[in-house]
């Protein structure tokens, strides 16, 4: 990846990291599935009326929409609702980077060298380190839900690569059509009709800001640009960069929500960043050692 693409990836991960705290703000007044459903409804409408359909089968579009809306963000939002702090959620979700690389090997026949594996294992230690926090910033139910989100994200990455889509922005918009209905249905089945009848009473400026941030910079810009990078580069080169998300996630939760950043979290972040650097620059590391050996 060139410097321009790496800079774009860093910008995206900063937005995504902050998004966890913004979700937390929206959950103060709205049901998690309603909040997520509105997010994807506004991602699709009104843009779907002005943008051409994506140049791939609608099976890919629908599958991506359901997994992305319900499997990824529905579960992550619910995990935060059930007690996982915004910063910790951003850390746990990065298990997707490892799952994506594994799926890239099995489903896309991409190669992963030994140095990248070392980097992934190093970062994985950081992810599991965070799971043992006892400062009240995790709940095991929430942890499981966010882990489901990580698995779903890895599948959506493979779907984008496998589909061969070229109209990536259109793909994001049209796939968002398939997210709201199942999310609203889950909200109704779990909370009853009150989540709809009390909606106007529950909505406030904080919730509106939360929805707007999730719709425009996070989803429409962030996932459009991210999917472009996945389309352009090997999935094993792009996925590890998502490990920057928890750094911005922890900083965002500290600044916006006043969540503490203890020593354990700092150590976990250090491990994750170290793993990211090793895996992302594996080719340069190999070239260096080859020159030394020669």
């Amino acid at each position: 990846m060139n410097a321009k693409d790496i800079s774009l990836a860093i910008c995206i991960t900063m937005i995504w990291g902050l998004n966890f705290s913004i979700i937390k703000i929206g959950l103060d007044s709205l049901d998690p599935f309603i909040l997520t459903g509105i997010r994807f409804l506004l991602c699709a409408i009104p843009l779907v009326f002005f943008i051409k359909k994506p140049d791939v089968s609608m099976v890919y579009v629908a599958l991506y929409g359901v997994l992305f809306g319900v499997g990824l963000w529905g579960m992550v939002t619910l995990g935060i609702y059930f007690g996982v702090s915004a910063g910790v959620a951003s850390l746990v979700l990065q298990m997707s980077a490892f799952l994506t690389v594994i799926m890239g090997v099995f489903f896309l026949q991409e190669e992963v060298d030994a140095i990248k594996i070392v980097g992934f294992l190093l970062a994985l230690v950081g992810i599991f380190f965070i799971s043992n926090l006892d400062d009240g910033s995790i709940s095991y139910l929430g942890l499981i839900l966010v882990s489901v989100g990580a698995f779903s994200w890895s599948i959506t990455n493979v779907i984008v690569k496998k589909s061969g889509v070229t109209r990536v922005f259109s793909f994001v918009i049209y796939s968002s059509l398939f997210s709201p209905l199942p999310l609203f249905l889950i909200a109704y089945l779990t909370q009853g009709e009150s989540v709809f009848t009390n909606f106007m009473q529950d909505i406030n400026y904080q919730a509106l800001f939360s929805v707007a941030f999730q719709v425009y910079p996070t989803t429409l810009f962030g996932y459009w640009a991210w999917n472009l990078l996945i389309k352009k580069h090997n999935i094993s080169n792009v996925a590890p960069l998502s490990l920057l998300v928890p750094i911005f996630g922890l900083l965002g939760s500290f600044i916006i929500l006043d969540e503490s950043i203890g020593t354990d979290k700092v150590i976990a972040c250090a491990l994750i960043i170290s793993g990211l650097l090793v895996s992302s620059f594996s080719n340069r590391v190999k070239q260096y050692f080859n020159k030394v050996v020669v």
Side-chain angles (χ1 to χ4, degrees):
M1 294 176 67
N2 57 38
K4 181 180 178 181
D5 286 346
I6 291 175
S7 298
L8 176 59
I10 292 173
C11 177
I12 296 167
T13 57
M14 180 183 69
I15 292 171
W16 286 350
L18 295 175
N19 186 55
F20 290 90
S21 295
I22 305 302
I23 288 174
K24 187 81 170 181
I25 291 173
L27 288 172
D28 287 340
S29 54
L30 293 179
D31 173 85
F33 291 112
I34 292 295
L35 178 65
T36 312
I38 293 172
R39 167 186 179 175
F40 287 103
L41 182 65
L42 294 180
C43 283
I45 298 174
L47 288 174
V48 71
F49 298 114
F50 303 100
I51 304 293
K52 289 183 179 180
K53 290 182 179 180
D55 52 341
V56 295
S57 167
M58 291 303 288
V59 173
Y60 284 120
V61 179
L63 187 59
Y64 181 93
V66 173
L67 284 171
F68 187 69
V70 182
L72 170 51
W73 287 110
M75 294 300 102
V76 170
T77 304
L78 191 62
I80 294 174
Y81 178 79
F82 277 118
V84 172
S85 73
V88 170
S90 68
L91 276 168
V92 175
L93 189 60
Q94 301 324 304
M95 287 192 299
S96 169
F98 312 109
L99 295 170
T100 298
V101 171
I102 292 170
M103 290 186 180
V105 171
F106 284 101
F107 297 108
L108 303 174
Q109 288 75 53
E110 293 186 355
E111 295 183 359
V112 179
D113 54 49
I115 296 176
K116 279 188 178 180
I117 293 174
V118 170
F120 295 150
L121 291 175
L122 187 61
L124 192 59
V125 171
I127 294 293
F128 282 105
F129 194 90
I130 208 72
S131 68
N132 292 316
L133 288 174
D134 57 1
D135 60 356
S137 58
I138 68 166
S139 73
Y140 287 107
L141 175 58
L143 210 57
I144 292 171
L145 291 168
V146 177
S147 298
V148 172
F151 182 71
S152 299
W153 190 9
S154 63
I155 297 175
T156 61
N157 284 335
V158 173
I159 289 172
V160 171
K161 192 73 175 178
K162 197 78 173 177
S163 70
V165 62
T166 58
R167 297 175 188 165
V168 178
F169 189 62
S170 172
F171 187 85
V172 172
I173 292 169
Y174 275 82
S175 66
S176 296
L177 282 172
F178 296 90
S179 303
L181 186 59
L183 287 165
F184 291 149
L185 180 60
I186 295 172
Y188 175 77
L189 293 175
T190 56
Q191 300 295 327
E193 62 181 20
S194 62
V195 293
F196 300 102
T197 57
N198 296 337
F199 174 75
M200 294 307 297
Q201 176 183 323
D202 295 336
I203 196 76
N204 56 30
Y205 288 113
Q206 287 186 333
L208 290 173
F209 170 73
S210 177
V211 170
F213 189 90
Q214 292 178 66
V215 170
Y216 301 107
T218 300
T219 307
L220 291 181
F221 169 72
Y223 284 95
W224 164 67
W226 185 258
N227 289 339
L228 278 177
L229 292 175
I230 287 177
K231 176 180 175 292
K232 183 178 180 181
H233 302 283
N234 278 349
I235 205 169
S236 58
N237 290 332
V238 179
L241 289 167
S242 68
L243 294 171
L244 286 172
V245 172
I247 308 303
F248 294 113
L250 287 171
L251 289 174
S253 67
F254 174 72
I255 295 169
I256 298 171
L257 303 175
D258 198 29
E259 293 181 356
S260 63
I261 302 179
T263 304
D264 289 347
K265 290 181 182 178
V266 172
I267 294 173
C269 281
L271 289 167
I272 290 170
I273 287 295
S274 298
L276 168 63
L277 292 174
V278 170
S279 61
S280 294
F281 295 99
S282 61
N283 290 334
R284 294 185 183 180
V285 173
K286 283 193 298 183
Q287 289 173 5
Y288 173 78
F289 280 110
N290 288 336
K291 288 180 181 179
V292 172
V293 172
V294 173

